[in-house]
Amino acid sequence: MNSSQLLGITTLAYLLSAMLYIAIFVFRAKKLGLIATVITACAFLINTAGIALRWQESYQAGIGYAPLSNMYESLVFFAWAIAIFYLGLEWKYKNRILGAFSMPFACLSMAYASLSPQFGKEIKPLIPALQSNWLIAHVITCFVGYAAFAVASGMGIMYLIKDRKANEAPGSLLASLPELKVIDDIIHKTLVFGFLWLTAGIITGAVWANSAWGTYWSWDPKETWSLITWFVYAATLHARFTRGWGGRRIAWLAVLGFLSVIFTYYGVNFLLSGLHSYGGGS
Amino acid sequence: MKKTENMVWRFFASVRLALFSLLILATTSIIGTLIPQKNPPEFYVEAFGQRTAQLFQMLDVPNMYNSWWFISLLLLFSVNLIVCTIDRLPNVWKMVVMNNLDTDPERLEKMPHRQEFYARGDAAALAEIATGLLAKNGWKAEGETKPTGSLLFSQKLAWSRLGVYAVHLSILIIFAGAIIGSLLGFKAGVMIPEGSATDTVYETGTEKPIPLGFTVQCNDFKVSFYADGTTPKEFRSNLSVLENGKTIIDKRSIIVNDPLDYKGITFYQSSYEPMQGFNVVITNKATKVSQSFQIPFGQKISWPEGGIDFGVINQEVRSRMGDVNRLKVWFSDGQGDPSIFWMANNATQTISSPAATYEFEASQVYATGLQVAKDPGVWTVYAGCALMLIGLYVAFFLSHRRVWVYIVREEAADRCRILVCGASSKNKIAFEKEFAALVECFTHDSTLQNA
Ligand code: HEM
């Protein structure tokens, strides 16, 4: 068994998990609840084992690095972070419908990592600039933040769906979604959590850049886009706690913010160029 | 006059302006990620046409993050932040230090969380019981006797209200650090061939020479590759620092991510350049006499004391940069035929002639590429970053919670009314639970339930 196989299984397990949660929502199949949670927890553990095994394999290959150093590995970690964040959310709010709007992100991330021919999955040696503990801290903090933002956008979508037909009859599909007030609260808490981690991510990135090149900030496109994302979320949070925004507007901003995250993460690597272009497929 | 002053002040103190400047900063920042920065003017003419390029130059688009208008936006943002803080901080500060035992009883009746009880007995005795119950729930109370009854008060994390201001201050500290760095620091680069030294570096972008005030010498540079032969594994320079003829730092190794710092100037390993030449060490194994040389490619070199002539007559280059993989050596000590052989770069070859045995060590000469930075603002920036993280944590996850217990003697009914009430600065749901636990405790106390 090698890490690619384990991570392949992870992809299937997240797919199963996402489908179960969607089934719980769409068919109101409450009985599937426990199974969905168990499958998700197992998928998460297999994901963890896959990362750990890849780590070990890199040592066996005589390279030895934390598997957080290229696009493939970061997508795998992204899925991992979404899964654990979601499990925490489910545990806290005791609501499995949230899974229908969260786990698809983990599934998509893994599927994209596994299936896209764009990035190599082989363990490649690290160029000197990437050999830094700050890089590890940077990737972890950023992706924990991104995971929260992914879930927040899922909750935003859920809010917008529910709100559009708020006055539907009780017992209908949308009535099974949490109350708008609750979704709004989850969005806010998730954004706040993500914002703290994104801030830490930008800071650790700056410290890394400073130790490698002597400049903590050079306005390269990746840095700039992470700052743009940070501005978007800062504005969102201020709109909420100082101007009392909530509901639809914040839900939309949660979605917009996540689009900015995707662009920072994906768009910059493939559409723009800069220091971080090592993250690309080549 | 007063009125316009007030309007200007209100404008700069408004959060609406903050939202506006955050979104403007976000959108304008995109420009510089789409249009490549800091290229020569010809580049823009070629890529965007004469007209557009002219417009770009006018608006400083090629260097937009340092342009007058972008800096002005940052300035507006800072002024907004400062004015907003001056506007609000005094009130928040009052909230932190105020004496909550002075709270108007009318206001207590309107607290977001309240519960009332009735009990027999006198106010002072009941206050004592209530103090105990509060303490049991982790609320350390202080009390005061009022003409109308007894008031108890307890709070947690009052200072957490300042978290927001720590975050806002941290942004200004980071700006200050960046300004210090750009006024008093520099970014430069230099290439130093092995065995050479320099006291001057060249500013990035302008190539303006910057004297260091001391000398940096590169004793040795090594690049190692992974098994695939092309991915560099490590760049390692061995540097010395000399000042006024004295060696201050002797033979310190630096690698990427582990720079050398002297007098606030930091030397980062960033690149290297192979040179057309070799470092050679020849040792006569019998006499143990040894000599090192730095020789150019394709030239015959003589070492009269050793009676030896030698040279590198061919080389096999690995990369476009000119890294030598193997070199072909011609070697003669005048006895028998000269030795001609291929050897790997960075290796030692044993040569046997009728007269003696030699060790021949050869490695290509490299120049180490250093980035040189002086940034006296960096620790200010880091301090700002640390404060920001702490401040965000406090602002998001800690809340100022207050509870009061107000005991009023109602003579007519021969009982006391006990009002338990509280408020929290945020995270109402969590506080609701905390408050409910406290109320529960009061409910279960029989002496508080006997009327
Ligand atoms: C990107 C920059 C900024 C960041 C990261 C930031 C961060 C924060 C945070 C974390 C809070 C606390 C939220 C809470 O209570 O849960 C806050 C509140 C606030 N911010 Fe900012 N802020 C920024 C820029 C600004 C600017 C430019 C202004 C200028 C007016 C401003 C005005 C305020 C105000 C008025 C509050 C509410 C304070 C209160 O609750 O009393 N912020 N900010």
Side-chain angles (χ1 to χ4, degrees):
Chain A
M1 181 73 79
N2 62 28
S3 66
S4 300
Q5 285 166 321
L6 267 185
L7 293 170
I9 297 172
T10 308
T11 312
L12 293 178
Y14 281 143
L15 180 65
L16 187 59
S17 146
M19 289 195 322
L20 281 169
Y21 282 116
I22 291 173
I24 293 171
F25 168 48
V26 175
F27 304 113
R28 271 159 284 171
K30 282 233 160 104
K31 280 188 210 127
L32 294 176
L34 191 62
I35 299 175
T37 305
V38 169
I39 297 262
T40 311
C42 287
F44 171 72
L45 291 177
I46 299 170
N47 195 344
T48 313
I51 294 172
L53 191 56
R54 194 175 165 89
W55 202 328
Q56 198 204 356
E57 284 166 3
S58 87
Y59 275 93
Q60 277 163 359
I63 298 163
Y65 67 92
L68 296 167
S69 304
N70 57 37
M71 194 86 177
Y72 171 72
E73 289 163 352
S74 61
L75 280 167
V76 170
F77 182 72
F78 188 32
W80 184 90
I82 293 172
I84 187 156
F85 186 85
Y86 167 69
L87 285 170
L89 204 63
E90 181 184 304
W91 183 70
K92 183 159 177 215
Y93 285 89
K94 310 276 179 267
N95 189 325
R96 292 199 169 95
I97 305 235
L98 308 179
F101 294 86
S102 306
M103 288 313 291
F105 289 107
C107 169
L108 282 176
S109 177
M110 267 321 295
Y112 184 46
S114 312
L115 302 178
S116 170
Q118 224 161 358
F119 358 96
K121 294 178 202 39
E122 66 279 17
I123 292 172
K124 279 212 193 130
L126 284 191
I127 60 166
L130 302 187
Q131 302 163 9
S132 163
N133 288 334
W134 283 109
L135 173 65
I136 299 172
H138 174 54
V139 175
I140 290 176
T141 45
C142 279
F143 279 88
V144 171
Y146 291 172
F149 291 143
V151 172
S153 79
M155 298 299 119
I157 292 167
M158 180 155 97
Y159 187 99
L160 294 169
I161 292 175
K162 169 123 181 164
D163 188 45
R164 226 155 52 106
K165 308 206 187 115
N167 34 18
E168 210 154 306
S172 74
L173 194 56
L174 295 175
S176 64
L177 291 175
E179 276 179 61
L180 287 176
K181 220 178 70 189
V182 175
I183 308 176
D184 188 59
D185 181 58
I186 298 175
I187 294 176
H188 178 63
K189 290 220 169 78
T190 309
L191 288 181
V192 157
F193 179 86
F195 190 73
L196 184 63
W197 285 91
L198 176 64
T199 309
I202 295 175
I203 291 173
T204 47
V207 175
W208 169 46
N210 193 46
S211 70
W213 295 288
T215 27
Y216 51 83
W217 195 262
S218 54
W219 292 105
D220 90 276
K222 192 97 174 179
E223 284 171 356
T224 309
W225 267 98
S226 69
L227 188 66
I228 292 168
T229 306
W230 193 73
F231 284 149
V232 170
Y233 284 114
T236 305
L237 293 179
H238 279 81
R240 183 182 179 100
F241 45 62
T242 60
R243 305 205 57 80
W245 283 26
R248 298 185 64 84
R249 292 205 250 186
I250 295 290
W252 274 113
L253 282 168
V255 174
L256 177 77
F258 187 57
L259 291 179
S260 180
V261 168
I262 293 177
F263 194 84
T264 308
Y265 176 34
Y266 178 87
V268 174
N269 284 3
F270 291 100
L271 306 175
L272 308 171
S273 61
L275 283 178
H276 284 71
S277 39
Y278 67 82
S282 58
Chain B
M1 189 62 208
K2 195 80 198 158
K3 184 138 187 160
T4 51
E5 225 171 74
N6 207 16
M7 269 175 60
V8 171
W9 183 261
R10 289 264 65 85
F11 173 77
F12 282 111
S14 76
V15 180
R16 222 186 277 237
L17 179 64
L19 293 182
F20 171 81
S21 45
L22 280 172
L23 289 177
I24 286 286
L25 280 172
T27 32
T28 52
S29 293
I30 297 175
I31 300 171
T33 68
L34 300 178
I35 297 166
Q37 295 288 296
K38 297 194 176 173
N39 281 318
E42 306 85 75
F43 169 86
Y44 298 95
V45 176
E46 200 164 300
F48 301 98
Q50 188 73 41
R51 278 274 191 90
T52 318
Q54 230 162 25
L55 185 73
F56 280 3
Q57 297 294 350
M58 221 165 68
L59 293 175
D60 266 345
V61 172
N63 192 8
M64 69 153 274
Y65 300 108
N66 294 313
S67 69
W68 57 269
W69 57 268
F70 195 74
I71 302 280
S72 307
L73 280 176
L74 291 175
L75 201 68
L76 174 72
F77 181 77
S78 316
V79 170
N80 186 197
L81 205 49
I82 293 167
V83 173
C84 184
T85 303
I86 296 174
D87 202 50
R88 298 185 185 228
L89 189 55
N91 283 331
V92 174
W93 183 251
K94 259 186 235 151
M95 295 283 282
V96 174
V97 299
M98 79 190 210
N99 180 4
N100 285 281
L101 288 170
D102 282 349
T103 311
D104 180 5
E106 298 264 306
R107 287 219 23 232
L108 296 180
E109 302 290 342
K110 294 197 201 93
M111 284 290 160
H113 304 274
R114 333 175 270 282
Q115 181 74 44
E116 44 184 28
F117 303 95
Y118 293 92
R120 307 237 172 265
D122 74 301
L126 290 173
E128 205 153 301
I129 293 168
T131 308
L133 290 174
L134 283 167
K136 222 168 99 187
N137 281 271
W139 295 96
K140 210 166 140 285
E142 43 186 332
E144 198 172 283
T145 315
K146 307 252 170 193
T148 48
S150 288
L151 182 61
L152 301 174
F153 172 72
S154 174
Q155 63 181 351
K156 290 178 182 169
L157 302 178
W159 55 268
S160 72
R161 288 186 184 266
L162 300 173
V164 178
Y165 296 92
V167 176
H168 292 164
L169 178 67
S170 73
I171 295 171
L172 298 174
I173 292 175
I174 291 170
F175 282 168
I179 292 169
I180 294 173
S182 71
L183 293 181
L184 305 177
F186 61 76
K187 305 267 179 269
V190 68
M191 300 290 302
I192 315 176
E194 286 175 289
S196 300
T198 183
D199 58 5
T200 309
V201 294
Y202 301 90
E203 189 174 56
T204 309
T206 64
E207 298 303 318
K208 196 181 77 177
I210 300 173
L212 292 172
F214 53 87
T215 304
V216 181
Q217 179 174 312
C218 173
N219 308 307
D220 185 35
F221 174 83
K222 288 231 157 34
V223 51
S224 57
F225 292 86
Y226 287 101
D228 67 3
T230 50
T231 311
K233 181 175 189 174
E234 185 181 82
F235 304 146
R236 180 181 288 270
S237 295
N238 186 291
L239 305 179
S240 294
V241 173
L242 303 111
E243 192 170 10
N244 301 325
K246 274 207 296 269
T247 305
I248 309 286
I249 297 175
D250 194 26
K251 302 206 177 114
R252 220 336 269 283
S253 274
I254 67 163
I255 57 174
V256 179
N257 280 311
D258 183 18
L260 165 82
D261 191 272
Y262 180 62
K263 286 199 163 169
I265 299 178
T266 313
F267 296 85
Y268 299 85
Q269 180 70 63
S270 84
S271 62
Y272 73 100
E273 219 171 76
M275 314 273 285
Q276 284 284 8
F278 296 89
N279 290 314
V280 172
V281 181
I282 302 171
T283 311
N284 183 323
K285 284 182 84 167
T287 63
K288 299 273 189 271
V289 177
S290 177
Q291 177 73 33
S292 33
F293 307 84
Q294 195 171 92
I295 65 165
F297 173 72
Q299 227 180 65
K300 187 167 145 184
I301 307 294
S302 289
W303 177 26
E305 291 81 11
I308 288 168
D309 294 317
F310 67 98
V312 175
I313 56 174
N314 202 352
Q315 59 190 16
E316 183 185 284
V317 172
R318 175 205 347 241
S319 68
R320 243 178 309 148
M321 276 175 70
D323 286 275
V324 168
N325 217 4
R326 297 198 305 156
L327 54 144
K328 194 174 187 183
V329 178
W330 182 94
F331 181 97
S332 166
D333 63 354
Q335 313 281 319
D337 288 335
S339 310
I340 300 174
F341 54 89
W342 279 99
M343 65 182 286
N345 181 33
N346 240 335
T348 305
Q349 177 85 16
T350 307
I351 304 168
S352 304
S353 88
T357 313
Y358 303 94
E359 299 235 289
F360 189 93
E361 209 181 310
S363 59
Q364 187 179 19
V365 175
Y366 293 112
T368 182
L370 303 178
Q371 274 188 28
V372 186
K374 180 178 170 183
D375 190 343
V378 88
W379 287 104
T380 311
V381 171
Y382 285 180
C385 290
L387 181 64
M388 177 179 286
L389 287 176
I390 296 167
L392 282 174
Y393 177 78
V394 173
F396 288 152
F397 299 114
L398 303 183
S399 55
H400 179 201
R401 287 152 293 159
R402 294 178 290 174
V403 295
W404 291 262
V405 178
Y406 186 39
I407 305 168
V408 184
R409 179 79 194 153
E410 296 179 340
E411 286 302 345
D414 186 26
R415 63 178 188 182
C416 281
R417 173 172 181 266
I418 303 165
L419 174 68
V420 182
C421 61
S424 90
S425 60
K426 52 182 170 284
N427 206 352
K428 310 285 185 230
I429 296 171
F431 182 67
E432 215 167 273
K433 284 195 193 132
E434 200 175 3
F435 187 75
L438 181 66
V439 166
E440 173 93 358
C441 225
F442 274 73
T443 314
H444 284 302
D445 192 288
S446 53
T447 48
L448 297 179
Q449 294 295 322
N450 56 7

